[in-house]
């Protein structure tokens, strides 16, 4: 984000006015210098407040009413931002936007709507900058002339949902604390030097090189494995500490804000500095500016400086320009597809895999000479006379889509699939047809289908016994593998329970096919002979990019049997054996942990968790005894169970568990929350805590 202009009315020092950054053909100055003084200090404050975000300002511990010249009249702030696509916003909205806020004499903040904004150029689109957690989007930092830092009190874990305001607090209050330099350098060194993580290593190298060159800090040992940063910091001269402190704070916040970037210091944003000439010696000021300029190539700076510092400002830095983001001109997509007369629309409402029923319907209609069009989710296409929609899941999202489709297509739509009626089948003359693979070109060289359907068991949560009955053969490899395909996605519910399972497996092995057993294999049905054949088969993931075996484990019954069967497959830690684990049906936390502990003890095994979704008319979840008195101990154990892969899936269970824990005990389990945010979306932690706790900590205003 870059700030292109700010307009104000009733500012205490500046009264009514505007400040527009000089622009020259889609470029703005990287460095804008203002003379030192109270009114320009206030101008920086107005800029910080404008870009801070209304939701965050409400928690800013500063009496914002002090910014009003006349306390009986609100301060009006309107501003123009240029946002960066995929950094400040994910949408295709134009990067240039106007926005505004109003602050009354009591410090109450209100966002302005388009009709409230009267200072901005009339053609400018007015909208609220989308700040999300406030940590990554519309990156803003601001600093006062004197900085104090945390000393072992800094929180690097984003537990504060209003962390954003700490990034510009020092511009308003000289007691506000910035980053703990020792703690930050120690963390950066750990990640960059000891763990060799690229962004941290890259940042550490740039930092140590520029500190050595521009502020004469000896940083050779920073890149060595053993470095005591408390000692290093204490040995710096006081001017070096003063000069390094704001730089370390900027670097810390950029790493925090852009965790997905390998080169976080190259990201854009806005830094406001009140009297940075006081951060270093008169002689060293020019070098300090050069350092900041090199370290942060895409950053917009606005600085207030003494007259001498303005004169000493490095010439080449003064000439730097930044490119203002422009609208990405996408070729206009044709929004109207011409529908041939009499065409059939096949609607895939929610399938995660290519929908076999639609592929057969497609074959059926094409053989009748009809044109067939495939659309997904809830597509509304004018001019269609007949629609066949298939819905696989009974989830609320799928049911919402169905209801919208019914409303739109009325009598013209024929709905089917397990999400609509588990007993309904395709007419037999369509069912026996081969699938039309052209409907889903993304299948490429993969075949899909059933050799058997059904299962001899009767698990109450499962659709298969009702829908398919006992295991029976419905097809064979020859009919599934038309066009010489050698990769097969098998949809069989429980192929190992069929009396001829050994023969099916043997044929797959002899033909040297690659198979994805997408509905998992039933370990209980395995014997030594089938296990031997199975190990000869290239069992694969869905994309056929690596060897993976799929099983499931939905409860803790028969764990001894599962272990014995598992052992006959002779897996080693190098194998990939995925267990689908359903949760949220009727197991307790103790049983869930027992399952994960058990699977962790099996060589090569890891989990893929799935939350229970009741089938139509199926039993509701029963979690009345989910927690017991040892819940905390179980959770402590759970977060210590780390599988060698797929921990992203476990995160889903952690989040579900965390929510249930809050509902049951009225508090968060901190260890669980730390685990959820240890590696991913760290900056969302504070907001998560605030949302789950349902509280917002009110900050004390500055005295
Ligand atoms: S869950 Fe598996 S074993 Fe149980 S009925 Fe369904 S297919 Fe059969």
């Amino acid at each position: 984000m870059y700030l292109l202009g700010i307009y104000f009315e009733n500012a205490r020092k500046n009264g009514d006015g505007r400040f527009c950054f000089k622009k020259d053909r889609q470029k703005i100055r990287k460095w804008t210098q203002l003379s030192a003084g109270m009114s320009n200090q206030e101008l920086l404050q107005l800029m910080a407040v404008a870009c801070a975000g209304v939701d965050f300002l409400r928690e800013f511990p500063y009496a914002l009413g002090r910014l009003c010249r006349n306390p009986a009249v609100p301060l009006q702030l309107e501003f123009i931002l240029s946002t960066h696509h995929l950094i400040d916003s994910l949408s295709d909205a134009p990067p240039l936007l106007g926005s505004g806020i109003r602050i009354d004499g009591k410090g109450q903040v209100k966002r302005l709507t388009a009709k409230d904004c009267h200072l901005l150029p009339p053609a400018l689109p007015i909208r609220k900058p989308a700040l999300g957690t406030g940590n990554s989007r519309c990156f803003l930092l601001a600093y006062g002339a004197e900085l104090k830092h945390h000393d072992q009190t800094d929180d690097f874990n984003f537990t504060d949902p209003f962390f954003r305001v700490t990034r510009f607090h020092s511009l308003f209050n000289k007691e506000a604390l910035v980053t703990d330099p020792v703690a930050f350098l120690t963390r950066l060194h750990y990640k960059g030097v000891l763990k060799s993580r690229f962004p941290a290593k890259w940042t550490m190298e740039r930092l140590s090189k520029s500190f050595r060159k521009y502020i004469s800090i000896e940083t050779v040992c920073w890149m060595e494995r053993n470095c005591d940063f408390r000692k290093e910091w204490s040995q710096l001269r006081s001017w070096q500490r003063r000069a390094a402190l704001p730089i370390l704070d900027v670097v810390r916040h950029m790493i925090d804000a852009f965790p997905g970037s390998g080169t976080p210091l190259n990201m854009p944003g806005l830094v406001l500095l009140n009297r940075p000439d006081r951060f270093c010696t008169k002689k060293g000021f020019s070098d300090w500016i050069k350092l900041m300029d090199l370290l942060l190539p895409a950053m917009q700076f606005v600085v207030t400086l003494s007259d001498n510092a303005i004169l000493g400002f490095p010439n080449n830095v003064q000439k730097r320009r930044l490119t203002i983001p422009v609208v990405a001109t996408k070729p206009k997509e044709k929004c109207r597809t011409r529908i041939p007369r009499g065409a059939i629309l096949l609607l895939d409402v929610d399938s995660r895999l290519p929908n076999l029923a639609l592929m057969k319907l497609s074959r059926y209609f094409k053989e009748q000479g009809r044109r067939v069009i495939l659309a997904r989710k809830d597509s509304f296409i004018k001019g269609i006379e007949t629609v066949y929609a298939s819905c696989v899941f009974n989830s609320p999202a799928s049911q919402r889509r169905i209801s919208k489709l019914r409303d739109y297509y009325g009598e013209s739509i024929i709905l089917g699939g397990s999400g609509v009626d588990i007993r309904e089948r395709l007419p037999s003359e369509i069912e026996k047809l081969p699938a039309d693979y052209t409907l889903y070109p993304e299948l490429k060289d993969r075949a899909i289908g059933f050799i058997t359907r059904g299962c001899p068991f009767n698990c109450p949560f499962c659709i298969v016994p009702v829908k398919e009955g006992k295991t029976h053969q419905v097809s064979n490899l020859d009919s599934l593998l038309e066009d010489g395909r050698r990769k097969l996605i098998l949809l069989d519910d429980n192929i190992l329970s069929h009396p001829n399972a050994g023969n099916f497996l043997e044929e797959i092995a002899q033909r040297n096919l690659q198979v994805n057993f997408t509905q998992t294999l039933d370990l209980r049905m395995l014997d030594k002979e089938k296990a031997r054949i199975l190990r000869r088969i290239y069992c694969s993931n869905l994309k056929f990019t690596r060897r993976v075996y799929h099983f499931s484990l939905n409860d803790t019954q028969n764990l001894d049997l599962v272990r014995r069967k598992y052992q006959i497959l002779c897996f080693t830690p190098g194998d990939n054996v995925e267990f689908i684990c359903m949760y949220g049906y009727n197991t307790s936390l103790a049983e869930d942990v027992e399952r994960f502990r058990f699977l962790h003890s099996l060589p090569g095994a890891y989990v893929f968790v799935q939350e229970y979704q009741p089938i139509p008319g199926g039993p509701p979840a029963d979690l009345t005894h989910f927690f017991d008195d040892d819940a905390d101990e179980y959770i402590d154990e759970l977060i210590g169970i780390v599988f060698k892969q797929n921990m992203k899936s476990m995160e889903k269970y952690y989040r579900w568990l965390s929510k249930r824990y809050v509902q049951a005990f009225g508090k968060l389990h901190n260890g669980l929350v730390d685990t959820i945010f240890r590696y991913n979306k760290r900056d969302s932690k504070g907001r998560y805590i605030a949302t789950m706790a349902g509280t917002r900590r009110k900050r004390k205003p500055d005295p």
Side-chain angles (χ1 to χ4, degrees):
M1 168 207 78
Y2 296 140
L3 178 64
L4 303 189
I6 181 163
Y7 301 68
F8 42 85
E9 276 179 351
N10 192 37
R12 179 182 283 264
K13 306 278 180 210
N14 288 278
D16 300 350
R18 69 165 86 161
F19 185 89
C20 292
F21 290 87
K22 287 204 175 113
K23 211 167 80 173
D24 179 19
R25 277 177 290 159
Q26 283 306 117
K27 288 191 188 284
I28 50 162
R29 287 185 178 184
K30 182 175 177 188
W31 290 85
T32 301
Q33 300 155 58
L34 306 170
S35 55
M38 295 303 282
S39 60
N40 279 339
Q41 180 181 341
E42 185 196 69
L43 189 58
L44 293 188
Q45 290 177 334
L46 298 180
M47 291 177 189
V49 166
C51 301
V54 172
D55 292 342
F56 297 94
L57 278 180
R58 289 189 182 123
E59 297 293 322
F60 188 40
Y62 179 81
L64 287 167
R66 286 188 221 167
L67 293 171
C68 299
R69 175 171 285 187
N70 175 357
V73 179
L75 164 67
Q76 177 102 352
L77 273 180
E78 296 177 26
F79 50 96
I80 306 173
L81 298 179
S82 179
T83 57
H84 291 76
H85 184 50
L86 301 181
I87 298 173
D88 300 316
S89 118
L90 297 178
S91 75
D92 286 336
L96 199 66
L97 68 100
S99 198
I101 61 170
R102 196 173 278 161
I103 300 169
D104 68 18
K106 289 186 182 143
Q108 301 289 318
V109 189
K110 189 182 156 223
R111 189 173 76 81
L112 298 182
T113 61
K115 75 173 170 19
D116 299 326
C117 292
H118 57 268
L119 304 172
L120 291 170
L124 196 67
I126 309 290
R127 56 174 211 272
K128 177 186 168 191
L131 296 182
T133 62
N135 293 326
S136 299
R137 295 190 186 167
C138 297
F139 185 77
L140 162 74
L141 297 173
Y143 298 91
E146 291 173 41
L147 299 180
K148 291 184 178 164
H149 65 78
H150 280 279
D151 187 2
Q152 301 180 52
T153 52
D154 208 347
D155 176 9
F156 291 90
N157 290 319
F158 296 102
T159 41
D160 180 356
F162 303 100
F163 183 62
R164 184 176 176 87
V165 302
T166 64
R167 292 177 173 173
F168 53 87
H169 195 185
S170 71
L171 183 61
F172 296 79
N173 179 357
K174 61 181 179 357
E175 298 303 317
L177 301 178
V178 298
T179 295
D180 178 340
V182 173
F184 169 62
L185 283 168
T186 306
R187 287 172 68 89
L188 187 66
H189 177 266
Y190 173 79
K191 288 186 194 164
V193 178
L194 300 187
K195 294 289 167 192
S196 267
R197 293 195 192 128
F198 179 77
K201 193 172 175 200
W202 177 87
T203 307
M204 194 69 172
E205 279 166 357
R206 288 189 65 144
L207 205 54
S208 48
K209 206 166 140 192
S210 49
F211 273 18
R212 201 176 324 136
K213 182 168 176 191
Y214 292 106
I215 49 177
S216 311
I217 294 179
E218 188 42 71
T219 55
V220 174
C221 81
W222 289 21
M223 298 308 295
E224 289 168 3
R225 290 191 70 78
N226 291 318
C227 184
D228 178 350
F229 283 97
R230 186 155 294 284
K231 192 167 147 214
E232 293 291 314
W233 186 255
S234 68
Q235 285 175 350
L236 297 182
R237 295 194 199 139
S238 79
W239 74 265
Q240 287 174 318
R241 285 201 290 263
R242 232 169 47 238
L245 188 59
I247 300 170
L248 291 175
D249 190 79
V250 172
V251 172
R252 175 262 181 98
H253 289 304
M254 293 200 76
I255 289 179
D256 280 352
F258 306 110
S261 168
T263 52
L265 303 185
N266 291 348
M267 302 303 269
L270 172 65
V271 175
L272 309 170
L273 297 158
N274 185 34
R275 302 297 309 276
D277 46 319
R278 290 203 186 151
F279 294 157
C280 43
T281 58
K282 198 172 159 191
K283 212 169 121 213
F285 173 66
S286 170
D287 277 345
W288 189 90
I289 291 288
K290 285 182 196 162
L291 191 168
M292 285 296 253
D293 186 63
L294 270 180
L295 204 60
L296 310 167
M299 192 63 71
Q300 179 188 12
F301 290 92
V302 188
V303 295
T304 64
L305 296 171
S306 68
D307 293 346
N308 275 342
I310 289 177
L311 286 174
F313 201 88
N315 258 337
N316 54 341
V317 173
Q318 206 156 359
K319 288 182 193 150
R320 295 250 197 277
R321 298 291 182 268
L322 297 166
T323 304
I324 302 170
V326 288
V327 187
T329 44
K330 280 206 306 186
K332 277 211 165 177
E333 284 170 22
K334 281 194 182 158
C335 49
R336 281 168 65 87
T337 317
R338 191 175 287 277
I339 307 295
R341 185 180 286 272
I344 305 279
L345 175 64
L346 299 180
L347 254 177
D348 183 341
V349 177
D350 56 2
S351 310
R352 291 172 196 154
L353 292 168
N355 187 305
L356 196 60
L358 293 183
M359 290 164 82
K360 293 188 177 206
L361 276 168
S362 173
R363 170 82 69 162
Y364 175 76
F365 287 118
K366 282 183 180 171
E367 283 182 357
Q368 292 183 353
R370 307 282 295 270
R371 286 287 298 275
V372 170
I373 297 163
L374 176 72
R376 306 193 192 217
K377 297 187 177 170
D378 39 6
S379 296
F380 307 103
I381 300 178
K382 276 190 187 152
I384 280 283
E385 288 160 24
T386 316
V387 184
Y388 286 84
S390 173
C391 173
V392 178
F393 300 104
N394 184 38
S395 66
S398 294
Q399 297 310 311
R400 273 196 302 276
R401 275 180 208 152
I402 286 184
S403 139
K404 281 200 253 169
L405 289 168
R406 275 200 180 110
D407 288 349
Y408 185 82
Y409 291 109
E411 301 276 290
S412 310
I413 192 164
I414 298 154
L415 283 153
S418 310
V420 177
D421 181 349
I422 57 173
R423 284 169 215 274
E424 204 172 358
R425 311 301 307 240
L426 286 176
S428 60
E429 76 266 29
I430 302 179
E431 180 67 59
K432 66 181 186 222
L433 288 175
D436 173 14
Y437 280 95
T438 60
L439 198 66
Y440 290 93
E442 67 265 34
L443 270 171
K444 294 183 183 158
D445 59 347
R446 296 173 295 173
I448 186 167
F450 294 86
I451 295 176
T452 67
R453 285 180 185 259
C455 172
F457 298 103
N458 212 358
C459 305
F461 55 83
C462 179
I463 202 170
V464 173
V466 187
K467 189 172 178 231
E468 310 286 2
K470 302 288 179 216
T471 318
H472 55 286
Q473 187 171 357
V474 293
S475 180
N476 57 43
L477 285 175
D478 285 333
S479 46
L480 288 179
L481 297 168
E482 63 168 30
D483 311 334
R485 289 166 197 256
R486 307 196 55 75
K487 294 172 183 165
L488 176 60
I489 301 170
L490 264 187
L491 302 169
D492 296 40
D493 309 302
N494 195 341
I495 189 170
L496 293 185
S497 65
H498 193 278
N500 283 340
N503 295 338
F504 301 145
L505 294 183
E506 183 59 41
E507 194 182 347
I508 291 170
Q510 281 191 11
R511 289 189 176 204
N512 210 12
L513 302 175
Q514 296 182 24
V515 182
N516 168 250
F517 291 99
T518 182
Q519 301 304 300
T520 76
L521 291 165
D522 190 340
L523 260 179
R524 296 168 300 178
M525 298 284 104
L526 211 62
D527 56 26
K528 278 193 179 158
E529 181 57 19
K530 287 181 207 150
R532 201 179 45 74
I533 309 170
L534 197 60
R535 288 296 268 157
R536 284 165 47 215
I537 295 174
Y538 187 101
C539 295
S540 171
N541 64 348
L542 196 57
K543 289 186 177 165
F544 290 84
T545 50
R546 64 182 197 139
R547 216 171 175 135
V548 182
Y549 293 83
H550 294 96
F551 302 105
S552 55
L553 189 66
N554 291 326
D555 53 42
T556 48
Q557 290 167 24
N558 305 317
L559 291 187
D560 287 341
L561 175 72
V562 172
R563 187 184 293 281
R564 282 201 306 279
K565 299 286 182 174
Y566 194 84
Q567 280 166 345
I568 60 177
L569 284 156
C570 302
F571 286 125
T572 68
D575 285 305
N576 302 308
V577 189
E578 185 172 284
F579 277 82
I580 311 289
C581 293
M582 182 179 70
Y583 65 92
Y585 171 50
N586 65 355
T587 50
S588 65
L589 172 62
E591 287 166 337
D592 287 351
V593 174
E594 189 183 352
R595 262 192 300 168
F596 297 139
R597 187 195 306 129
F598 169 78
L599 291 175
H600 192 251
S601 73
L602 302 180
Y606 61 94
V607 300
F608 181 88
V609 298
Q610 268 181 353
E611 188 176 354
Y612 171 59
Q613 295 287 349
I615 55 170
D622 177 10
L623 297 169
T624 36
H625 303 293
F626 183 75
F627 290 113
D628 61 20
D629 292 346
D630 297 326
D632 286 347
E633 284 74 15
Y634 283 124
I635 295 178
D636 291 344
E637 184 187 348
L638 172 75
I639 58 188
I641 300 173
V642 178
F643 290 95
K644 63 172 185 169
Q645 55 185 305
N646 218 24
M647 286 306 286
K648 194 101 186 78
S649 169
M650 277 297 273
E651 197 183 300
K652 205 172 140 205
Y653 180 73
Y654 295 155
R655 281 180 180 269
W656 176 85
L657 176 60
S658 175
K659 199 168 164 187
R660 292 204 67 79
Y661 186 91
V662 172
Q663 286 163 353
F665 301 106
K667 60 176 183 176
L668 281 159
H669 187 288
N670 293 330
L672 190 55
V673 175
D674 289 346
T675 308
I676 293 169
F677 292 98
R678 182 162 299 147
Y679 302 112
N680 300 310
K681 299 192 176 157
R682 287 179 57 237
D683 67 317
S684 303
K685 185 174 174 180
R687 180 159 287 196
Y688 174 85
I689 292 171
T691 312
M692 296 299 273
T695 56
R696 286 190 159 199
R697 180 163 57 86
K698 277 275 171 206
R699 287 155 195 272
K700 281 197 209 127
D702 293 338

